[in-house]
Amino acid sequence: MIDCIVTTAGGVEEDFIKCLAPTYIGDFNLHGESLRTLGINRIGNLLVPNNNYCKFENWVMPIFDEMLQEQKEKNMVWTPSKLIARLGEKINNPESIYYWAAKNKIPVFSPALTDGSLGDMLYFHSFKNPGLILDIISDLRRLNTMAVKAQNSGVIILGGGVIKHHICNANLMRNGADFAVFLNTASEFDGSDSGARPDEAVSWGKIKKEATPVKIYAEASLIFPLLVGETFAREHHIKDPK
């Protein structure tokens, strides 16, 4: 049912970090200077201690070493999606989204994989054990070709930014997605891609002219489970009551 996932660097690394150490619920209004003094990083209303990223570094660096060795000895061409698959295998934790993606051979693309803690770790590794290369063009070819060869293409896009555009642009290669659901809180009046309505994507050929796309103005972590529960999951449980 799911052919691939496209996500941010944060969407990758925080999935693994939560398996290594807890993230805490805080408040949007907590004072940044006080948190900095305590060594706590705020992501919206979530709180991540600095030590979590230390644990992440200790976990991920040996994996980068293994990848570099394979690159040298086996001429392995690493891409962001292959790196994510390797990390999904290594985490070996069913609480991880990418554990299940790797287990089910679902590729996870992240065109801006260096834009976060993973990028920091790759930067550090480039000094500790230089030479690891990630081929972003191979991933671009892979994603765009998946869209081109799809009999039908449907997209569910949570949030916006580079991920939203990357998914839509892949569908430009096939003259548009057949089905599209956008779910975010952004408005179009600042000209951002995040806020752009589906009709703008139609004008580019990223969604088909005859499609009936929908944009839901809502918070994704609240609404997406409800959408899944009333559609894919509902049909699954009707077919397989167990």
Side-chain angles (χ1 to χ4, degrees):
M1 182 178 291
I2 298 173
D3 295 299
C4 69
I5 297 170
V6 183
T7 189
T8 61
V12 175
E13 63 207 21
E14 296 299 338
D15 177 72
F16 296 124
I17 290 170
K18 77 171 189 280
C19 298
L20 303 172
T23 294
Y24 302 95
I25 296 177
D27 189 275
F28 286 94
N29 298 309
L30 292 174
H31 193 229
E33 185 178 342
S34 300
L35 292 174
R36 179 63 179 168
T37 302
L38 294 170
I40 297 174
N41 308 279
R42 182 171 67 83
I43 308 173
N45 67 337
L46 300 177
L47 303 176
V48 189
N50 280 340
N51 192 50
N52 289 24
Y53 295 99
C54 296
K55 291 181 178 180
F56 181 56
E57 181 176 2
N58 292 337
W59 175 73
V60 81
M61 284 298 187
I63 300 173
F64 289 167
D65 288 336
E66 291 176 10
M67 291 170 58
L68 177 57
Q69 187 174 354
E70 290 181 42
Q71 177 184 297
K72 291 177 178 178
E73 296 178 358
K74 302 178 181 179
N75 294 318
M76 178 69 172
V77 178
W78 289 104
T79 65
S81 65
K82 290 178 182 177
L83 184 153
I84 295 166
R86 175 61 61 87
L87 297 182
E89 293 167 1
K90 290 288 187 177
I91 197 67
N92 195 28
N93 187 325
E95 292 183 4
S96 165
I97 294 170
Y98 306 115
Y99 163 82
W100 289 107
K103 194 176 181 66
N104 290 283
K105 308 298 182 187
I106 298 171
V108 180
F109 300 101
S110 186
L113 187 66
T114 56
D115 185 33
S117 182
L118 259 173
D120 298 341
M121 300 307 151
L122 288 165
Y123 172 70
F124 299 152
H125 190 265
S126 73
F127 290 96
K128 292 180 177 179
N129 191 4
L132 182 62
I133 297 171
L134 295 181
D135 183 356
I136 195 171
I137 305 300
S138 291
D139 263 3
L140 180 66
R141 285 174 56 91
R142 187 181 182 190
L143 176 62
N144 286 3
T145 302
M146 288 177 71
V148 168
K149 292 186 175 182
Q151 184 172 357
N152 289 292
S153 175
V155 303
I156 301 174
I157 304 178
L158 312 180
V162 67
I163 302 312
K164 178 171 178 275
H165 185 264
H166 203 63
I167 295 168
C168 290
N169 205 66
N171 281 276
L172 173 65
M173 303 300 159
R174 66 186 312 279
N175 291 317
D178 300 278
F179 311 96
V181 176
F182 295 176
L183 173 54
N184 64 54
T185 58
S187 66
E188 68 175 338
F189 304 109
D190 59 1
S192 67
D193 183 78
S194 296
R197 293 180 293 109
D199 189 61
E200 182 176 308
V202 173
S203 78
W204 285 88
K206 297 171 183 176
I207 298 175
K208 290 190 182 298
K209 291 186 291 184
E210 59 272 21
T212 55
V214 173
K215 173 167 180 177
I216 304 170
Y217 293 84
E219 199 279 309
S221 68
L222 173 65
I223 299 301
F224 186 58
L226 299 177
L227 288 178
V228 173
E230 286 299 309
T231 51
F232 309 111
R234 182 177 176 182
E235 292 298 317
H236 171 76
H237 291 299
I238 289 174
K239 293 175 183 176
D240 184 9
K242 296 179 182 178

